[in-house]
Amino acid sequence: MMLSDVMEDYLKAIYQLQRESDERVKTSEIAAELDVTSPTVTSMLEKLEDRELVDREKYHGVTLTEEGETVALEVIRHHRLLEAYLTEHLDYDWAEVHAEADRLEHHISEDFEARVADVLGEPDVDPHGSPIPGADLEPPARPDGAPISEFTEGETVVVEEVADRDADVLAYLADHGVEPGVELEIVEVAPFGMVTARPIAGDDAVSLPESVAHHVRVAQPAGVDA
């Protein structure tokens, strides 16, 4: 099935939004994710429905069909493998790779994908901690973590995943040493969503505004009871 790059972008966006909420994805959510208008989204969803890639209920949003999910997972696998390759072998900064992978993900062959995966040693996650779908294109297991704002003062957590969609957020996190695998002590959680945390291996606390904290998923270290 030949699909345009834009169609694949929509399927990828729907998959990611669907995974975050476990509910039907609303037109307004897709519009915000892709920075397009709601009428534009509606028009595209009609085309995807005609190709049996989405299941659409008027006023209730959409979900991916099995075929639509497979397409989305393939695009996501390409994207995250490319991010890993660009970071590990071409010295890209992790704040740069998302946009570059977005441009390349639609245009690599399955042979190229397999070679990249082999060179990388079939990684489970990309540089931002997001799970990479396997070659079988089964949905990867969802990480156990939660947004850092859901934890309490005094707790120690490990950064599990950071969203890769905002280069400014990634640059801010990198500048403050907040990346997958780093242990943080939560110093303060303000009522309006600001989180202050201190890397266990460092001295300086970092303030994470609500708009940034939302992008940081963490989990308690192994051996710590929830």
Side-chain angles (χ1 to χ4, degrees), residues 1-72:
M1 176 186 294
M2 292 297 295
L3 299 176
S4 68
D5 295 357
V6 175
M7 286 179 171
E8 291 184 348
D9 285 339
Y10 269 79
L11 295 172
K12 180 175 72 169
I14 293 168
Y15 176 85
Q16 291 171 329
L17 292 167
Q18 194 173 296
R19 289 270 286 184
E20 290 171 3
S21 67
D22 287 323
E23 297 178 354
R24 284 184 171 272
V25 180
K26 296 180 175 60
T27 298
S28 59
E29 294 173 322
I30 301 170
E33 178 74 11
L34 296 176
D35 193 25
V36 295
T37 66
S38 290
T40 299
V41 174
T42 299
S43 176
M44 177 56 73
L45 292 180
E46 290 173 353
K47 295 175 183 177
L48 295 175
E49 183 180 31
D50 288 342
R51 292 184 176 230
E52 299 183 345
L53 296 169
V54 300
D55 176 65
R56 188 164 68 111
E57 289 186 13
K58 197 170 183 179
Y59 307 121
H60 295 284
V62 300
T63 58
L64 296 176
T65 63
E66 183 176 346
E67 187 171 5
E69 181 177 77
T70 298
V71 173

Side-chain angles (χ1 to χ4, degrees), residues 167-220:
D168 291 336
V169 169
L170 287 173
Y172 180 86
L173 294 173
D175 287 344
H176 293 84
V178 179
E179 55 189 42
V182 170
E183 285 196 14
L184 302 171
E185 177 191 359
I186 299 176
V187 178
E188 182 181 9
V189 180
F192 48 86
M194 171 80 78
V195 176
T196 302
R198 178 182 294 109
I200 297 298
D203 298 322
D204 297 331
V206 54
S207 295
L208 304 175
E210 182 180 13
S211 59
V212 175
H214 176 72
H215 291 272
V216 181
R217 294 183 67 86
V218 300
Q220 291 187 312

